Amino acid sequence: MDYPLLVVLCALVAIGTAAVYTATVDTKLDGLHYSNLKMFAAFCLPMLIVACMDYRVLTGKLAFISYGIGLLLLVAVKVQGEVINGAVRWIVIKDFQFQPSEFVKLSTILMATYLLQRRGGEKLRLLRDVLPIGLVFLIPTYLIYDQPDLGTALVFVGMFAGMIWIGNLKTIHLLVSGAILTGTIWLGYWMLQTEHALLKVVIKPHQMDRILTFLNPGSGGDTGWHVANALRAIAVGGSFGDDGYYLKNGFIPYAYSDSIYVAIAENYGFVASAIMLLLFYFMVYRMVLTVLESRDLAGSYLVVGLISMIVFQVFVNIGMHIGLLPLTGLSLPFISYGGSSLFVNMIAVGIVLSVGIHRSKGAEAPN
């Protein structure tokens, strides 16, 4: 058992619980931090059960089953999902809310791992390997983007990039992919400048507002107001925190979930923010060690997919609040309040622990 990884997990959840308390105290949501602790305690058991299982069970036929269930859940959201804040992302059963897109992150990684391990470490072929794996990621990405949930959809892009890279992508395919990405960015910028009609079909109005605010921070609007207040709150937090003026007076929307980094930076300062980032770094470091020590390609692919999922979310969540990226709805792993997110991320840790525990049973991976 990788005990340092478990210690880091507990430390991150402790920081998240303190931040949720700060963001909700003396509001109608007061008490969410207790709920956060209860969920963490409840999710420890399934995490440890997964850790004790042989992860190869998950990358076999079960990968097909979990992936199929995930897609059915996304379709169910489209048909029977609850509309909350203008988006249809949740299945609500009485007082229970479940966000299927979180579960689909894991099921997609499992499915991609199954497809990657068949090559045995050899270079990936375009038609037989890269395109099928791309399709595995594309289907849930489209369904989630249509909810609309651009932030979570982008996570799938990050996971695909990480897994296809570790899967031994040919240099020519990497160069072509880079050229296509560059061309797409240039085309998008040109369409923005010329106000092309196709943009209204591809990009929803609120997403366009966020992109324009990113390109022109002083443009105003709800998104500009949110970003400007987030930057001010982070700034006044200084080294050791402030009295939380922006947080207490409602200038930071969803401070207990998507904007929780701002709550930490304003109330506890740069030092606390830096400690949190160091904990994330150490968590990823422990996961990378698991990849390097794994004697099985499936284990390596699996953990790299989970690393990509966590790193991408951390980078985007913090980047959008400090002006590096456009604003989008995306939780901060282990820190933001949310049962679906916490459960999936803890199961991800359980899978990493399983790869570490059972690594000696695998065959030596080829160089």
Side-chain angles (χ1 to χ4, degrees):
M1 189 74 74
D2 189 345
Y3 293 107
L5 180 58
L6 288 175
V7 171
V8 173
L9 168 64
C10 293
L12 285 171
V13 173
I15 291 175
T17 302
V20 170
Y21 169 78
T22 301
T24 58
V25 66
D26 296 330
T27 71
K28 63 181 180 179
L29 297 174
D30 197 353
L32 278 188
H33 58 290
Y34 289 120
S35 177
N36 200 63
L37 286 175
K38 290 177 182 177
M39 289 189 297
F40 173 67
F43 297 158
C44 279
L45 180 59
M47 179 188 71
L48 293 175
I49 290 175
V50 170
C52 293
M53 290 173 51
D54 192 329
Y55 65 92
R56 294 170 187 82
V57 175
L58 301 174
T59 58
K61 293 181 180 179
L62 192 58
F64 284 91
I65 297 173
S66 64
Y67 184 72
I69 292 174
L71 295 184
L72 289 175
L73 287 172
L74 291 179
V75 174
V77 169
K78 187 72 175 176
V79 178
Q80 297 287 342
E82 189 80 8
V83 179
I84 301 176
N85 297 325
V88 186
R89 305 174 187 173
W90 296 267
I91 294 177
V92 179
I93 304 174
K94 294 185 178 181
D95 295 331
F96 175 75
Q97 291 185 2
F98 172 63
Q99 191 171 354
S101 58
E102 293 291 337
F103 167 77
V104 178
K105 292 176 187 175
L106 285 182
S107 64
T108 303
I109 290 173
L110 293 176
M111 189 65 197
T113 298
Y114 172 82
L115 295 175
L116 283 171
Q117 69 180 342
R118 296 185 307 172
R119 284 296 290 159
E122 298 295 324
K123 291 286 186 180
L124 297 178
R125 299 160 296 185
L126 180 61
L127 296 180
R128 295 186 180 183
D129 302 310
V130 177
L131 289 183
I133 295 169
L135 187 62
V136 163
F137 280 94
L138 181 62
I139 296 173
T141 300
Y142 170 75
L143 292 172
I144 292 169
Y145 175 79
D146 194 50
Q147 291 179 352
D149 188 358
L150 177 60
T152 304
L154 289 175
V155 175
F156 283 78
V157 177
M159 294 190 307
F160 172 72
M163 295 195 73
I164 208 72
W165 171 75
I166 196 66
N168 204 359
L169 189 66
K170 291 181 179 179
T171 304
I172 184 63
H173 294 158
L174 181 63
L175 293 174
V176 171
S177 300
I180 293 174
L181 178 61
T182 303
T184 302
I185 294 173
W186 178 86
L187 179 61
Y189 183 75
W190 174 80
M191 293 173 71
L192 275 174
Q193 295 297 314
T194 58
E195 298 182 356
H196 199 281
L198 184 60
L199 282 176
K200 295 182 180 180
V201 178
V202 178
I203 302 178
K204 293 175 170 52
H206 73 281
Q207 295 169 346
M208 179 62 70
D209 178 50
R210 292 173 177 179
I211 293 173
L212 292 175
T213 300
F214 171 69
L215 296 174
N216 183 17
S219 59
D222 292 341
T223 303
W225 178 85
H226 186 165
V227 174
N229 286 324
L231 289 171
R232 293 189 188 105
I234 293 171
V236 300
S239 297
F240 300 102
D242 194 49
D243 60 357
Y245 169 82
Y246 287 92
L247 189 63
K248 292 177 181 177
N249 289 280
F251 290 105
I252 309 299
Y254 306 108
Y256 60 93
S257 57
D258 294 347
S259 299
I260 200 162
Y261 172 73
V262 182
I264 295 173
E266 183 181 14
N267 283 272
Y268 303 109
F270 171 78
V271 172
S273 301
I275 290 173
M276 181 190 71
L277 286 173
L278 285 172
L279 287 171
F280 275 121
Y281 169 81
F282 190 69
M283 170 176 278
V284 172
Y285 165 73
R286 297 300 306 181
M287 291 180 173
V288 170
L289 285 183
T290 301
V291 173
L292 296 176
E293 294 171 359
S294 175
R295 305 177 66 142
D296 177 40
L297 284 173
S300 298
Y301 297 151
L302 193 53
V303 178
V304 167
L306 298 173
I307 291 173
S308 302
M309 179 183 76
I310 293 173
V311 169
F312 190 86
Q313 288 185 118
V314 172
F315 178 75
V316 172
N317 181 278
I318 296 177
M320 68 184 183
H321 286 111
I322 60 177
L324 288 179
L325 297 169
L327 188 68
T328 186
L330 191 63
S331 62
L332 188 58
F334 309 106
I335 307 294
S336 295
Y337 178 82
S340 300
S341 173
L342 181 61
F343 177 75
V344 166
N345 287 316
M346 289 182 66
I347 293 299
V349 171
I351 293 174
V352 175
L353 292 172
S354 175
V355 173
I357 292 172
H358 299 94
R359 63 177 176 264
S360 61
K361 294 183 180 179
E364 193 71 44
N367 293 326

